Amino acid sequence: MNTRTAPLPPNRPAAASAATTITTTTDQSYAPYAEALVAHSGRDWLRLNVPGHAAAPGSALTDRFGARVTALDFPPLLDGLDVGPDNPLEQALALAARAWGARRTWFLTNGASQGNQIASMVAPALGRTLVVQRSVHSSVVDGLVLSGLDAVFVQPSVDPEQGIAHGVTAGDVAQALRRAPDAAAVYVVSPSYFGAVADVRAIADAAHAAGVPLIVDEAWGSHFGFHPALPAGALALGADLVTSSTHKLAGSLTQSAMLHLADGPFADRLEPLVDRCFRLVQSTSASALLTASLDLARRALVSGADRITGSVAAADAVRGAVRARGRFGLVCDRFHRFPDVTAADPLRIAVDTRAGGITGHEARQSLSRDHRIMVEVSTDSALVAVFGAGSAPDTERFVDALHRLPSPLTGSDGPSREPLSLPRPGAARLTAREAFLSPSRVVPAAAAVGLISADTLAAYPPGIPNVLPGEVITAETVAFLRRTAAAPGGHVRGAVDPAVSRLRVVAS
């Protein structure tokens, strides 16, 4: 095995000491788990174990997807893959920790949502209240239900014209910490779904000054720090625990992610807690394919500077073309108006479609139906396209299709065509856990106004909760959710029914 030292990515500190890493492998061009998996699948196995397809030829899976998929689909706890000293999985984890500048890294096979749940479950050992950005992903709220923590919410800045939330400032975090003497941790999101990057360094300083760790949901920034054109990663800026949705822009398979622990002042306390909580929520049948894809994504990021340069250039070309043609706007061109936004992810293209006479939902539907182009998400006012780190999409096809979209909003003054404003959250009456576990009843949406929600309700994607369990349901929020559900492709995560005609409330 080659154990030469490879250079670290930009802005990456060295990994932790050997006390937390059982392998000496430092060659980032090596993908130990993925390579061991391929070698294992190439042997002549008679498979009398799970999974039940047994990699047998002629099965429904092999007929549709080919024999390669099932041949690589092994269960955990196999010699030569993840059992024994210095096994390939441990080597892959150590290489990932070094690549991201972490003391320790965990591979997740239930997405960054699993990482957010783990981080929330760890926090009660440090205090009773989580100081948390209100516009976190719904999986963080799920974590509050699991942990039973109280929460002090920090309100993000909101772009009223776009109806989207950005981030929080260090000053707002410090003020919230003063209201929470029993704080366990600070929990923020950076970057946002629309590519807005927060001042993680300043927020980390505010958290540490109060004696608590900073947890960052960096689901959309797993590629950060691997190229000079990209923002620095949260670990390099002082974060203590970071959720990384590696499948989003870093190239691993859907549902694979990582959780990174910094080698900072809280590491000794957090490491055993994170490890135990990881075992609570990680599947005992973790997918070998997902795990291997994380190993390969790490290698591609570390070695892929030239490919990332091409991706950034392609995204810049799209932004330049949109500005030059003048019909649409770019959401990032408004970021300078908000004090909490310090940078933008260059691989995210958020287009203000209403400026061009069409809602984001209608634009997304037309791009898919008429041009066979998929974008990441749409809102009432915008759509978001993402370029994976290292990908080289057909930018001319996207720009041309975008500017061939109809403009049904031109001259329209009907109430259904008015921009959809982001509703303000209702007052919190119970903790998320108290409300979730309380006796509940389902009522018509109009009758739910003024009552306490038993569910998390989030326009999805991006999955930022508009209603939390324990919050009072407002008429403004009901109208927002019902309009979201009625839009083309609209979906409200957690709703009792697709139309949001009924809501689950805490029984009085």
Side-chain angles (χ1 to χ4, degrees):
M1 181 187 305
N2 189 341
T3 58
R4 65 182 174 83
T5 299
L8 290 172
N11 302 318
R12 290 293 176 217
S17 67
T20 57
T21 303
I22 69 167
T23 178
T24 58
T25 301
T26 58
D27 184 359
Q28 292 286 348
S29 68
Y30 180 47
Y33 184 86
E35 292 171 20
L37 179 64
V38 170
H40 203 70
S41 69
R43 300 187 179 105
D44 183 19
W45 294 107
L46 173 61
R47 295 174 62 165
L48 306 178
N49 59 344
V50 297
H53 58 67
S59 70
L61 289 173
T62 56
D63 285 349
R64 286 292 181 181
F65 303 133
R68 191 64 166 164
V69 173
T70 56
L72 292 167
D73 186 24
F74 285 101
L77 301 179
L78 294 177
D79 288 329
L81 286 178
D82 58 351
V83 171
D86 203 28
N87 63 70
L89 177 58
E90 292 294 345
Q91 295 171 25
L93 289 166
L95 286 169
R98 182 173 178 81
W100 269 269
R103 169 172 171 151
R104 186 171 174 186
T105 290
W106 289 262
F107 285 175
L108 311 177
T109 55
N110 197 29
S113 295
Q114 181 185 352
N116 283 332
Q117 292 164 4
I118 291 169
S120 300
M121 291 166 66
V122 165
L126 307 174
R128 289 306 311 156
T129 302
L130 195 64
V131 175
V132 57
Q133 182 175 327
R134 177 57 179 78
S135 53
V136 289
H137 190 265
S138 58
S139 58
V140 178
V141 180
D142 296 343
L144 288 173
V145 172
L146 291 170
S147 69
L149 279 174
D150 293 329
V152 169
F153 290 105
V154 186
Q155 298 301 325
S157 67
V158 173
D159 183 333
E161 293 183 27
Q162 285 294 317
I164 59 176
H166 293 314
V168 297
T169 66
D172 290 337
V173 168
Q175 186 177 32
L177 283 164
R178 288 192 287 272
R179 303 198 311 269
D182 59 348
V186 172
Y187 213 128
V188 300
V189 179
S190 182
S192 73
Y193 209 88
F194 294 85
V197 179
D199 190 347
V200 174
R201 172 67 69 188
I203 296 171
D205 289 344
H208 295 164
V212 299
L214 173 64
I215 304 169
V216 177
D217 180 353
E218 198 177 42
W220 284 99
S222 56
H223 55 300
F224 281 11
F226 285 93
H227 189 278
L230 301 175
L235 284 173
L237 297 174
D240 298 286
L241 192 61
V242 174
T243 297
S244 176
S245 194
T246 324
H247 73 89
K248 286 185 165 64
L249 271 75
S252 63
L253 290 175
T254 296
Q255 202 172 313
S256 61
M258 299 185 193
L259 183 63
H260 304 293
L261 174 66
D263 194 16
F266 301 94
D268 289 342
R269 182 82 184 276
L270 288 174
E271 183 173 357
L273 293 171
V274 172
D275 201 44
R276 292 169 68 193
C277 289
F278 166 80
R279 296 180 195 285
L280 282 178
V281 296
Q282 174 76 329
S283 171
T284 56
S285 302
S287 166
L289 283 166
L290 297 185
T291 302
S293 77
L294 289 168
D295 196 19
L296 293 169
R298 181 268 315 157
R299 183 173 69 177
L301 279 177
V302 174
S303 63
D306 291 344
R307 293 190 298 275
I308 296 173
T309 296
S311 300
V312 172
D316 284 342
V318 171
R319 282 186 287 270
V322 170
R323 292 185 182 111
R325 295 202 184 189
R327 175 181 170 185
F328 298 102
L330 293 169
V331 174
C332 65
D333 288 346
R334 301 170 52 84
F335 282 175
H336 68 279
R337 305 182 186 185
F338 302 93
D340 54 275
V341 182
T342 60
D345 179 3
L347 299 184
R348 197 80 50 85
I349 302 170
V351 179
D352 178 356
T353 58
R354 273 191 173 268
I358 185 170
T359 70
H361 295 308
E362 291 169 322
R364 183 187 190 192
Q365 186 178 55
S366 181
L367 286 171
S368 176
R369 180 189 63 233
D370 302 330
H371 303 279
R372 294 296 181 263
I373 294 174
M374 292 189 290
V375 295
E376 172 57 29
V377 69
S378 61
T379 69
D380 178 70
S381 297
L383 60 80
V384 181
V386 297
F387 288 13
S391 68
D394 186 342
T395 56
E396 291 185 4
R397 178 180 173 185
F398 174 60
V399 171
D400 180 64
L402 185 67
H403 288 83
R404 289 167 60 191
L405 293 174
S407 52
L409 293 179
T410 303
S412 174
D413 57 1
S416 65
R417 313 305 275 168
E418 296 174 359
L420 190 57
S421 299
L422 196 66
R424 293 165 295 181
R429 302 297 188 207
L430 300 171
T431 69
R433 184 180 180 87
E434 288 169 343
F436 187 88
L437 296 178
S438 291
S440 63
R441 57 194 177 98
V442 175
V443 300
V449 174
L451 302 180
I452 298 172
S453 177
D455 287 330
T456 301
L457 302 174
Y460 196 90
I464 297 170
N466 306 108
V467 181
L468 302 181
E471 284 184 346
V472 174
I473 298 168
T474 67
E476 179 185 16
T477 299
V478 170
F480 172 85
L481 293 174
R482 287 180 60 79
R483 270 192 64 184
T484 297
H491 173 67
V492 176
R493 182 181 188 268
V496 173
D497 63 84
V500 198
S501 63
R502 299 173 296 151
L503 297 175
R504 183 178 288 106
V505 300
V506 173
S508 55

